[in-house]
Structure formats: structure tokens, C-alpha cells
Amino acid sequence: MPSAVCPGSFDPVTNGHLDVFARAADVFDEVVVAVLENKSKAGLFTVEERIQMLQEVVAPYPNIKVEAFHGLLVDFCAARSIKSIVKGLRAVSDFDYELQMAQMNFRLAGVETFFVSANPLYSYLSSSLIKEIAKYGGDVSGLVPDILLARLNAALAK
Ligand code: ADP
């Protein structure tokens, strides 16, 4: 199988995201994790910080790389001759939006979207819930990569 892209905000990356990347990397020759640069929405971490953290956590996977993207995901795919997107589906609540996006991306450029069923260990995780819990001192260890724990607390303390 050729290349696939795993897009998202990853503010910050969670173990649920990492599970999807690893499974995609098992099936596709190369996986590009594409970090959305959204100028109108500031995150907890800058895009550069997110990319740095992602690069550290995917370092054990030789066929996963990390890049930033803005604009249309299908343009990012076309520029790299990538024809596949891989996304995780956590619950029915993800489905409506993901189906709509998948159909639009196919309509725009013939790019296919493949879904992996979220690992039940992490299917209740979202980046926003992680930030909310950590903000109030909740323990998120085991839910995000260990290298993030100190950085998450430091960013939230600002
Ligand atoms: P979120 O804020 O929802 O965590 P992202 O936009 O960074 O968001 O997530 C990118 C994609 O990763 C989502 O569209 C979803 O397909 C997938 N994803 C997010 N969290 C999980 C999870 N816990 N398990 C599996 N897939 C996930």
C-alpha cells in the first residue's frame, strides 16, 4: 500500500491518535501526520510545539513523518500524490461529520478515507477533554504519551 495521511489538530496528541497512526503505519508504506494550522483558532500549543511533540512520539516508527498543513487537505494530498486519508472513529457522534468530510474529499479530488475503529482503551479521549482534566489537576498519565505530561502542565500554568 502506498502513502496515507492522518490529519488533525493534535493539540495535544493523545494515545488515541497514536494508536491510529501505528495501525495506519502497519498497513500503509508511509504515513504522514498532517497538523492543521488554523490561524483563526489559537491552540494550547503552537503548531511548531505540536509538531515537535509528534515527532518525538512517532520516532520509533520509521515510516511515519509529521508535517503542517493549511488550506484544503486534498491539496496537501495532491501535492504529495497521496490518495488515502486514515481517521479514527470513536463513536457514532464522530460519524456524521467524518462521513460528510470523506464524501466531500472524494468529490473534490477522488481522495479516499479509511476509518479505523478506535481502540476501546482510548475511545473516550479527545484533546479537549485531556486539556480540561489536566487544567483542574486530573491525572492524564496513560492517556497521553509520557513525554507530554510535564509540557502539558507547563502550558496550562501559563
Ligand atoms: P480531537 O480534538 O477530536 O482529539 P483531532 O482533530 O486532533 O482531535 O483528531 C484528529 C482525528 O483523530 C479525529 O478526526 C479522529 O478521527 C481521530 N481521533 C481523535 N481522538 C481519537 C481517539 N481517542 N481514538 C481514535 N481516533 C481518534
Side-chain angles (χ1 to χ4, degrees), residues 3-91:
S3 303
V5 60
C6 289
S9 308
F10 310 117
D11 184 38
V13 60
T14 70
N15 284 347
H17 295 131
L18 198 51
D19 186 76
V20 173
F21 305 158
R23 288 159 67 190
D26 213 25
V27 175
F28 287 88
D29 292 337
E30 182 189 57
V31 171
V32 182
V33 175
V35 185
L36 175 65
E37 285 188 70
N38 186 347
K39 300 252 188 283
S40 60
K41 192 172 159 223
L44 175 64
F45 294 100
T46 65
V47 169
E48 292 71 27
E49 289 169 331
R50 291 179 223 172
I51 289 175
Q52 176 62 39
M53 292 186 283
L54 280 160
Q55 281 171 337
E56 289 177 44
V57 299
V58 302
Y61 303 89
N63 63 335
I64 304 183
K65 64 180 186 178
V66 185
E67 291 183 34
F69 88 98
H70 60 271
L72 294 179
L73 180 60
V74 291
D75 290 340
F76 178 91
C77 292
R80 290 157 186 77
S81 303
I82 295 177
K83 294 180 142 191
S84 307
I85 297 168
V86 175
K87 301 210 82 177
L89 278 183
R90 286 165 286 195

Side-chain angles (χ1 to χ4, degrees), residues 6 17 21 34 36 42 55 92-94 97 112 114 117 123 144:
C6 289
H17 295 131
F21 305 158
L36 175 65
Q55 281 171 337
V92 175
S93 49
D94 277 345
Y97 175 74
E112 291 285 6
F114 297 90
S117 52
S123 59
V144 296

